[in-house]
Amino acid sequence: MENRIKHTLYIVFLLFGILFFVFCYKMNSAFSTDTSRVHFIESFGWRVEQTHFMHEKVKIPVLFGQTELEYNKILKRAGFNLENYKGKILDKFSYRLLNHPQDKKYAYINIFIYKNSIAAADVVSPLLNGNIRAINDKE
């Protein structure tokens, strides 16, 4: 009888271990693909090319100057805050934007990922003197 209990507990712990692994894997791969990042972008009403045209590592400064403070103010309008990532290295993915109201040719969206979570996102228009806006600002 005691062996049966041990065997049952072993199976229960094994199942919990497997479920925990699957759950953690799903959580860690949330924004690891173009498809998932594009889906996030599209949730704001933007249309982009289905694959990124640039990927680079970006280190967020530990101390913010005026430029970083102004940029972070824009990001905060979309609920992001780069102060949480000071000193961290983020993955930056850039996607060509297809439906920018004033810049149909050169605009793009940047998505910043840290540990497979979105840390920040912005919309950039080089045609409009490098205008940067929050991802949720479609005006």
Side-chain angles (χ1 to χ4, degrees), residues 59-130:
K59 184 169 184 176
I60 305 303
V62 174
L63 299 173
F64 280 10
Q66 190 60 37
T67 302
E68 291 86 5
L69 291 171
E70 290 297 321
Y71 178 65
N72 202 40
K73 195 182 299 184
I74 293 168
L75 294 176
K76 284 181 176 180
R77 291 194 299 239
F80 300 113
N81 187 353
L82 281 183
E83 289 182 26
N84 300 327
Y85 301 95
K86 286 182 172 182
K88 307 281 192 236
I89 296 175
L90 282 59
D91 286 289
K92 175 183 162 188
F93 295 90
S94 301
Y95 294 85
R96 295 203 193 287
L97 187 52
L98 303 175
N99 64 332
H100 190 284
Q102 292 93 22
D103 184 354
K104 305 244 185 263
K105 191 170 183 179
Y106 301 106
Y108 57 93
I109 289 183
N110 293 311
I111 301 264
F112 296 86
I113 306 291
Y114 182 72
K115 293 186 177 180
N116 288 318
S117 294
I118 295 180
D122 62 37
V123 178
V124 180
S125 172
L127 189 65
L128 301 174
N129 296 322

